[in-house]
């Protein structure tokens, strides 16, 4: 494990602390950022960092990032003005470069936003193809990486629930607003446990598709009330919806059973933040 060379494309909110965690486990870690001023900062932390943009093709020094055993692709999809097709195209062009590399294992960080709201527990097998997905473009991106498994490479997809912690405070986003979905359960994951779960996946060499989510699912109203009270945000106005609000409960048992991971923050009502 300690001789494993690891690259993380996307040393951002999740990627940077993941790199630090992997360093602590004794791995040689390198990675990329889109922000020039972060390059020297991350290098000072011992992370061999390179500037890389995916516009949608790779622009920057990609060669050292692919000269590793294990690649983590952690690029949040941002459609916006670029359209839904932009992220799959980013992944397709990056995958084209990976095919000719020596990388043996690829982990793609995806999202539980692929699951439609069917008013029940959702497991990994519920979304395999884009037509089953609430976010078809993201499922297309997953498929691009999964296709590399046919080329003597191990591929892992980790679908993370709503990532919270640090400055990502639930009450901040609803302060003073009107909320009609207060009875809907949340699917959250604290940054610390996201890093812990992905680190466990890498350490154990797991292959396949996994949901990463805190095991408890309190309601949005409970979360928002506590968050606003804790940080002094204006409480939203909770109203009854005109029609029942659809929901989903992401089931993360497959991953926690495979890794035997013990959550630091299993209950989103107890998530710590840096407000």
């Amino acid at each position: 494990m300690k001789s494993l060379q690891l690259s993380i494309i996307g040393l951002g909110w999740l990627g940077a602390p993941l790199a630090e965690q992997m360093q602590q486990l004794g791995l040689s870690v390198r990675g990329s950022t889109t922000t020039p001023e972060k390059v020297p900062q991350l290098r000072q932390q011992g992370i061999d960092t390179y500037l890389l943009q995916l516009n949608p093709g790779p622009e920057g020094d990609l060669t050292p990032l692919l000269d590793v055993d294990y690649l983590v692709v952690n690029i949040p999809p941002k459609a916006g003005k670029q359209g839904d097709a932009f992220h799959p195209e980013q992944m397709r062009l990056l995958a084209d470069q990976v095919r000719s590399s020596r990388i043996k294992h690829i982990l793609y960080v995806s999202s539980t936003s692929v699951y439609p709201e069917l008013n029940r527990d959702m497991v990994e097998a519920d979304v395999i193809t884009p037509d089953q997905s609430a976010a078809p473009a993201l499922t297309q991106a997953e498929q691009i990486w999964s296709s590399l498994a046919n080329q003597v490479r191990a591929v892992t997809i980790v679908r993370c629930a709503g990532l919270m912690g640090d400055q990502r405070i639930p009450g901040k986003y609803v302060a003073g607003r009107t909320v009609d979905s207060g009875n809907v359960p949340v699917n959250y994951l604290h940054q610390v446990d996201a890093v812990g779960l992905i680190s466990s996946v890498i350490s154990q060499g797991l292959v396949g598709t996994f949901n990463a989510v805190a095991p408890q699912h309190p309601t949005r109203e409970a979360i928002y009330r506590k968050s606003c009270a804790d940080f002094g945000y204006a409480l939203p106005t909770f109203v009854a919806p005109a029609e029942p609000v659809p929901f989903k409960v992401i089931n993360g048992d497959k991953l926690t059973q495979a890794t035997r991971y013990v959550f630091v923050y299993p209950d989103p009502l107890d998530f710590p933040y840096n407000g």
Side-chain angles (χ1 to χ4, degrees):
M1 175 66 183
K2 288 190 176 181
S3 62
L4 189 72
Q5 292 180 306
L6 176 81
S7 271
I8 301 174
I9 293 183
L11 292 172
W13 188 85
L14 176 61
L18 176 62
E20 292 174 14
Q21 173 70 17
M22 301 316 295
Q23 278 184 318
Q24 291 172 13
L25 294 176
L27 274 70
S28 170
V29 183
R30 61 189 67 170
S32 73
T33 178
T34 60
T35 308
E37 54 266 29
K38 285 187 177 180
V39 173
Q41 296 172 7
L42 289 163
R43 284 180 175 172
Q44 284 182 350
Q45 298 174 32
I47 304 167
D48 192 12
T49 305
Y50 300 85
L51 195 64
L52 179 69
Q53 302 275 354
L54 301 177
N55 288 322
E59 297 176 5
D61 199 356
L62 190 60
T63 302
L65 294 167
L66 301 187
D67 187 20
V68 293
D69 308 298
Y70 200 117
L71 176 68
V72 177
V73 181
N74 177 43
I75 303 294
K78 295 179 181 178
K81 295 178 181 178
Q82 291 140 331
D84 289 340
F86 186 75
H87 183 66
E89 185 67 0
Q90 285 180 309
M91 297 301 97
R92 185 186 68 79
L93 293 169
L94 180 59
D96 286 345
Q97 300 296 317
V98 171
R99 282 189 178 89
S100 58
S101 74
R102 70 177 183 89
I103 291 167
K104 301 180 182 67
H105 199 139
I106 299 152
L107 187 152
Y108 173 63
V109 180
S110 186
S111 168
T112 56
S113 63
V114 299
Y115 295 106
E117 294 171 329
L118 301 179
N119 303 331
R120 62 173 174 84
D121 274 25
M122 303 299 290
V123 297
E124 290 81 356
D126 286 324
V127 173
I128 304 296
T129 59
D131 63 294
Q132 298 171 316
S133 178
L138 190 53
T139 307
Q140 289 171 16
E142 292 182 353
Q143 288 184 321
I144 288 165
W145 292 112
S146 295
S147 70
L148 268 64
N150 299 325
Q151 301 177 10
V152 201
R153 285 186 175 84
V155 177
T156 305
I157 309 293
V158 178
R159 294 170 173 168
C160 289
L163 293 170
M164 308 302 290
D166 194 26
Q167 299 290 324
R168 295 187 181 182
I169 306 168
K172 181 191 300 185
Y173 306 109
V174 296
R177 298 187 178 183
T178 298
V179 173
D180 67 355
S181 58
N183 290 329
V184 171
V186 301
N187 298 287
Y188 283 169
L189 179 64
H190 195 275
Q191 181 188 45
V192 168
D193 286 313
V195 169
L197 281 165
I198 295 173
S199 174
S200 296
V201 168
I202 295 170
S203 300
Q204 297 177 35
L206 295 184
V207 175
T209 299
F210 301 94
N211 294 333
V213 60
Q216 297 186 35
H217 304 267
T219 65
R220 288 181 184 175
E221 180 170 352
I223 290 286
Y224 295 158
R225 285 188 180 279
K226 185 174 188 300
S227 183
C228 288
D230 286 349
F231 292 95
Y233 296 122
L235 193 68
T237 300
F238 296 98
V239 299
E243 297 180 1
V245 177
F247 68 90
K248 58 191 173 189
V249 177
I250 306 301
N251 187 311
D253 290 350
K254 179 182 176 182
L255 181 54
T256 52
Q257 289 171 6
T259 59
R260 298 191 177 184
Y261 180 78
V262 177
F263 281 81
V264 180
Y265 304 112
D267 187 349
L269 283 169
D270 297 328
F271 282 8
Y273 298 93
N274 296 321

